[in-house]
Amino acid sequence: MFSDNPLFEMFAQRSLIRVRGGGVEVGEIMTAIGTIADGGTDAWVSTFTDLAARVSTQGETSAAAGHRVSARDSYLRASTYFDLAYWPIYGSPVDPRLTAAAARADEAFAKAMELVDHYAQSMEIEVEGLAMPAWFLAPDSSGTARRTIIHTNGYDSNVHEMYFAHALAALDRGWNVVLFDGPGQGRCLIRDGASLRPDWETVVGPVLDATAAREDVAEDSIVLAGWSLGGFLAPRAAATHADRLAALVADPGQWDQRDNVVGMLPLSDEEKAAFPDVDLTKLDPIQQWLDSPDVDPVMKWRIVQRGFWVNGVPDFASYAVEMCRFVVSDRASRITCPTVVTRALADPLAKNADKLFEAIGSSKKVLIEFTDDDGAGGHCETLNRSLYHQRVYDWLDDVVPASR
């Protein structure tokens, strides 16, 4: 669609999730990639950084002249392009260009939030000394207590991307929205170096506290939703906080992360069953492949650049062991709040959605499937979020009505 480079194509397609709300213009993406042509990562970073800076300057010009909408739209796109600029250089050690682009993306997004039609308030929520960036969004500034949906991220997203993928659809339906980046995500990872942690219930607790304490939040109508790896993290948190939640959404539903890793290991069935209590040197061939020039660039980005960095590990063996700590099977029955589990049939991460669904203790739960025939079969229904929002929010509206 955009590039013969599989990594660049992945990033460009992913940006389309921000089309709704004016977070990206396809023409600008296509022109930038055309400029990059056969150039490599450095060309990508410089091209998208330049594009973001240029669009941000356009926003400054419009703002100075009093053109609020034009300035808002420019800042939103600038934030996207700064995010796009650093995606190929994701990883540790952290490239200074990544840190700089991420900070400028935050700045552009904050400027846009000052100009939006809805209410937007920046928040800092602390968990064990870490300040998590968050945004509270409401349809208006009336202070009316409303239903509120808290969105938690996965591996490599941030509050900017969630704004387009989640918040706008919720605001249109009269919901408040809380977006936050936790350990291993967004600013917490890039600026503060905080790694992902399996005990997401510890992370979500302070977010629930901050949300429920607000007068513009209906405390009995708070929903927790997670997408991508958040489809594991949100259920993990809900198992502890179910009594505080009106509903849970897992998009897609996920099971113990061990299951996603062990099956691919060059081990016998007995060793897989015993993992990680095995000879870890047997995983050296995988590390050697990841280090080789023949490695698939998308796989290297997902495992080495993203997986190692987010989890704070130095190699594949450590990564595989770390993922075994991400367990929900021992507590899924404690998820007693109404629950939506999604499964996009072409998304490998959704393969165990039915396991989560069956294990959840709630008597009010639904498994919603998405297919390629609907244009929504891929990861997190990226190319048809409208259908996702229709099906999920229609169910939520019945379970968590506005007049509760």
Side-chain angles (χ1 to χ4, degrees):
M1 184 183 296
F2 293 99
S3 173
D4 292 332
N5 182 313
L7 199 59
F8 293 174
E9 176 68 14
M10 180 177 73
F11 296 143
Q13 283 200 30
R14 176 174 169 177
S15 74
L16 298 181
I17 206 167
R18 306 194 197 196
V19 167
R20 177 177 183 169
V24 66
E25 287 291 349
V26 174
E28 289 176 328
I29 296 289
M30 294 181 69
T31 300
I33 292 178
T35 300
I36 296 166
D38 295 329
T41 296
D42 289 343
W44 173 285
V45 174
S46 62
T47 298
F48 274 99
T49 299
D50 290 346
L51 171 61
R54 184 167 67 251
V55 174
S56 180
T57 298
Q58 293 170 359
E60 298 288 354
T61 300
S62 293
H67 304 304
R68 179 186 65 86
V69 173
S70 296
R72 176 201 65 195
D73 291 353
S74 292
Y75 290 139
L76 287 172
R77 299 201 322 280
S79 179
T80 293
Y81 301 146
F82 280 125
D83 281 340
L84 268 170
Y86 69 70
W87 279 346
I89 54 173
Y90 218 68
S92 178
V94 182
D95 191 311
R97 295 174 297 173
L98 191 163
T99 307
R104 295 182 74 179
D106 285 341
E107 179 183 3
F109 186 79
K111 289 180 177 179
M113 290 301 100
E114 294 176 357
L115 302 172
V116 291
D117 295 328
H118 57 77
Y119 178 74
Q121 179 187 357
S122 176
M123 303 167 63
E124 299 273 329
I125 302 173
E126 184 173 316
V127 57
E128 297 181 351
L130 175 68
M132 300 186 293
W135 284 92
F136 179 86
L137 311 172
D140 56 51
S141 58
S142 66
T144 301
R146 291 186 171 93
R147 301 173 296 174
T148 301
I149 185 163
I150 299 171
H151 281 284
T152 192
N153 251 322
Y155 255 127
D156 51 61
S157 187
N158 58 25
V159 290
H160 316 148
E161 189 171 44
M162 286 201 296
Y163 175 75
F164 299 99
H166 304 293
L168 294 175
L171 291 167
D172 283 348
R173 290 167 169 84
W175 290 72
N176 293 335
V177 181
V178 174
L179 310 174
F180 78 97
D181 287 333
Q185 303 169 339
R187 193 189 75 186
C188 294
L189 173 68
I190 295 169
R191 190 193 74 179
D192 301 327
S195 300
L196 191 70
R197 52 192 292 174
D199 59 334
W200 213 246
E201 61 275 12
T202 304
V203 175
V204 167
V207 180
L208 281 169
D209 293 341
T211 302
R214 298 182 63 100
E215 293 184 358
D216 47 5
V217 168
E219 189 174 357
D220 64 347
S221 300
I222 297 175
V223 174
L224 177 64
W227 75 327
S228 195
L229 185 64
F232 166 86
L233 297 173
R236 167 76 189 225
T240 295
H241 301 294
D243 61 336
R244 305 181 67 182
L245 297 173
L248 167 70
V249 180
D251 177 36
Q254 295 185 50
W255 199 234
D256 297 348
Q257 294 302 295
R258 181 184 190 281
D259 291 5
N260 294 335
V261 176
V262 173
M264 64 185 285
L265 302 181
L267 302 174
S268 68
D269 290 343
E270 292 77 11
E271 288 170 324
K272 289 179 180 179
F275 192 85
D277 298 323
V278 300
D279 178 7
L280 293 177
T281 62
K282 292 189 174 184
L283 304 187
D284 288 350
I286 295 180
Q287 185 63 53
Q288 292 165 6
W289 175 70
L290 290 170
D291 290 337
S292 76
D294 298 326
V295 65
D296 175 77
V298 173
M299 188 63 68
K300 181 173 184 177
W301 186 87
R302 287 175 173 166
I303 296 179
V304 177
Q305 293 181 238
R306 181 185 67 175
F308 292 4
W309 184 31
V310 169
N311 287 282
V313 298
D315 52 45
F316 182 79
S318 301
Y319 170 72
V321 171
E322 175 65 14
M323 295 314 295
C324 291
R325 298 176 59 222
F326 288 73
V327 176
V328 71
S329 59
D330 62 351
R331 65 197 70 206
S333 63
R334 305 206 306 259
I335 302 173
T336 54
C337 57
T339 299
V340 178
V341 175
T342 71
R343 177 169 59 190
L345 296 185
D347 181 5
L349 289 184
K351 66 180 180 180
N352 291 323
D354 57 335
K355 288 185 178 181
L356 176 67
F357 178 75
E358 293 298 331
I360 285 172
S362 176
S363 60
K364 184 173 289 186
K365 56 185 178 180
V366 62
L367 178 65
I368 301 177
E369 292 188 339
F370 297 91
T371 70
D372 284 340
D373 289 341
D374 298 320
H379 183 52
C380 291
E381 307 80 39
T382 300
L383 297 181
N384 193 349
R385 290 296 290 178
S386 293
L387 183 62
Y388 164 85
H389 290 137
Q390 178 188 29
R391 292 180 178 175
V392 171
Y393 278 104
D394 285 359
W395 190 85
L396 285 176
D397 281 346
D398 292 337
V399 174
V400 192
S403 59
R404 251 167 98 101

